[in-house]
Amino acid sequence: MPGYTDSHCHLNALDPAKYSEDLDGLIASARACGVDNILSIATCMQDFPDILTITEKYQNIWGSVGIHPLEISSETIQADQLIELAEHDKIIAIGETGLDFYYSADNKSQQMDNFITHLEVAKTVQLPVVVHTREAKKETIELLTTYADRESVGVLHCFTEELAMAKQALDLGFYISFSGIVTFKNADTLREVAKYVPHDRLLIETDAPYLTPVPFRGKPNEPKFVVETGNFIADLRGMEATALAEMTTDNFFRLFHKATKTVA
């Protein structure tokens, strides 16, 4: 059976006190549910040592390096530092970066400078960039158009915008990733986007420990629940769940080309 891939989660943020298992158990549970590959995303430099430790311990878990737009008030990073950290074999992406004017609109210029730095680094190291965007559609697309290129295209993760923005990102070569939000009752507009995205540009994720999908809302999210999101989207697109798992896993390894697939 083709394995699922959780293309975006935060393993270092999974608090064992909130689960019935420790991290080893959570990863084992994910594997038992058919989740073979996981990308654990950095949001700040304080995260990075823990993420690196996790990726070095588990064969089919990789990491990223970057600063989330909501973390830049407490942290700054230089391009050369990002470039150096991205050299590690298990670091396969730049980010999570981007723009968030929903939670923080008073530092737009600083966020944009931080985003540009990450986009320039992604071009330099030729790794995909993981993009967070909220209430910043116009600015996000403008910066991607100006600073991204075909060697550093990445993914708009946890996509929650309308079809028009998805089409703009797709035209730039970007992938679109869907989290458990697509299963929520009020997500009709998002489901239309999930039906539209071409087969070769679709990814799925948990964003764990956040955004637990139906029917497990109210519980802390974990990588095994990516199967619920995958099955939901497969049904939405009128395809077999196994085909969706294989397709999104192939897409993951095509985009995150530094990762090596080791599970058949």
Side-chain angles (χ1 to χ4, degrees):
M1 172 179 168
Y4 284 86
T5 296
D6 184 355
S7 69
H8 188 117
C9 69
H10 305 278
L11 293 179
N12 60 297
L14 270 60
D15 180 0
K18 297 181 179 179
Y19 300 88
S20 60
E21 302 167 294
D22 61 11
L23 184 59
D24 285 343
L26 291 170
I27 292 170
S29 292
R31 293 278 170 82
C33 290
V35 181
D36 290 334
N37 313 288
I38 299 172
L39 176 53
S40 188
I41 300 292
T43 60
C44 62
M45 295 315 299
Q46 186 176 346
D47 288 349
F48 188 74
D50 289 339
I51 289 173
L52 204 57
T53 297
I54 291 168
T55 65
E56 289 174 338
K57 182 176 181 179
Y58 302 99
Q59 186 175 40
N60 277 34
I61 296 178
W62 296 271
S64 72
V65 60
I67 297 179
H68 191 285
L70 297 179
E71 296 287 347
I72 60 174
S73 61
S74 59
E75 291 196 323
T76 57
I77 192 167
Q78 301 300 317
D80 56 355
Q81 184 183 11
L82 275 175
I83 291 168
E84 180 182 357
L85 295 175
E87 292 177 354
H88 192 283
D89 289 346
K90 296 302 290 288
I91 301 305
I92 64 172
I94 302 299
E96 171 177 2
T97 183
L99 304 173
D100 193 316
F101 300 159
Y102 178 83
Y103 283 110
S104 181
D106 58 349
N107 63 344
K108 289 184 178 181
S109 177
Q110 188 182 4
Q111 286 192 43
M112 292 173 75
D113 287 345
N114 181 69
F115 192 15
I116 290 168
T117 296
H118 284 74
L119 291 171
E120 294 282 18
V121 166
K123 285 195 291 188
T124 299
V125 299
Q126 296 192 348
L127 289 179
V129 61
V130 178
V131 179
H132 170 104
T133 179
R134 189 165 187 191
E135 296 295 325
K137 296 187 286 289
K138 177 177 177 288
E139 294 86 350
T140 298
I141 293 298
E142 286 178 351
L143 292 185
L144 292 181
T145 300
T146 302
Y147 293 98
D149 65 16
R150 293 287 167 166
E151 299 304 317
S152 61
V153 296
V155 56
L156 270 60
H157 103 91
C158 190
F159 193 80
T160 56
E161 303 293 349
E162 75 286 342
L163 183 57
M165 186 184 187
K167 289 181 176 179
Q168 290 175 305
L170 291 166
D171 286 345
L172 292 171
F174 276 72
Y175 290 59
I176 305 291
S177 180
F178 296 94
S179 70
I181 292 176
V182 76
T183 71
F184 294 1
K185 189 166 89 170
N186 62 348
D188 289 340
T189 299
L190 185 58
R191 286 191 273 275
E192 290 303 310
V193 182
K195 288 192 287 187
Y196 174 85
V197 173
H199 282 348
D200 62 350
R201 300 287 193 84
L202 178 70
L203 294 174
I204 54 176
E205 63 175 271
T206 59
D207 205 12
Y210 319 108
L211 306 176
T212 310
V214 173
F216 296 104
R217 290 195 70 180
K219 296 182 178 181
N221 206 359
E222 56 181 291
K224 72 179 181 182
F225 291 150
V226 77
V227 174
E228 301 299 328
T229 299
N231 291 349
F232 185 92
I233 293 176
D235 184 64
L236 196 65
R237 293 169 69 98
M239 59 191 299
E240 294 294 328
T242 54
L244 187 285
E246 182 175 15
M247 179 184 79
T248 51
T249 292
D250 287 346
N251 292 345
F252 174 86
F253 284 102
R254 186 186 316 110
L255 177 61
F256 298 104
H257 52 84
K258 190 174 170 183
T260 301
K261 189 175 183 180
T262 57
V263 176

